[in-house]
Amino acid sequence: MTLKTLTFLSAFGLALPGLAMAATELDTNGDGLLTLDEVQAVLPETTAESFSAMDTNADGALDADEVSVAQDAGLMPKG
């Protein structure tokens, strides 16, 4: 993982304390996944690289398991 990615992920965990709690509100199309566009609507500094670091299955979206793993790792705040 690059320093840039680690820096983003650290900032991501601190940037919006309500992000995890509001995950369902972020899911604007209601499909149960968070896309880069949905995350960038709240965190415009999110890059494709940093999003990919959380998108462990590389499907282009964060599912509940990926959000949970990111939360457990301290990369996203818990709800």
Side-chain angles (χ1 to χ4, degrees):
M1 209 177 287
T2 67
L3 179 58
K4 183 177 178 181
T5 300
L6 289 173
T7 301
F8 167 78
L9 293 175
S10 295
F12 188 82
L14 299 173
L16 290 177
L19 179 62
M21 186 173 71
T24 56
E25 287 99 26
L26 292 178
D27 182 17
T28 57
N29 64 4
D31 66 355
L33 303 171
L34 296 179
T35 64
L36 176 60
D37 289 340
E38 289 170 327
V39 173
Q40 283 180 328
V42 177
L43 294 170
E45 68 277 7
T46 304
T47 65
E49 180 184 60
S50 59
F51 185 85
S52 292
M54 290 181 281
D55 181 17
T56 57
N57 66 2
D59 68 350
L62 301 179
D63 60 27
D65 290 335
E66 289 166 322
V67 170
S68 179
V69 168
Q71 289 173 331
D72 290 344
L75 304 175
M76 292 178 71
K78 292 186 179 191

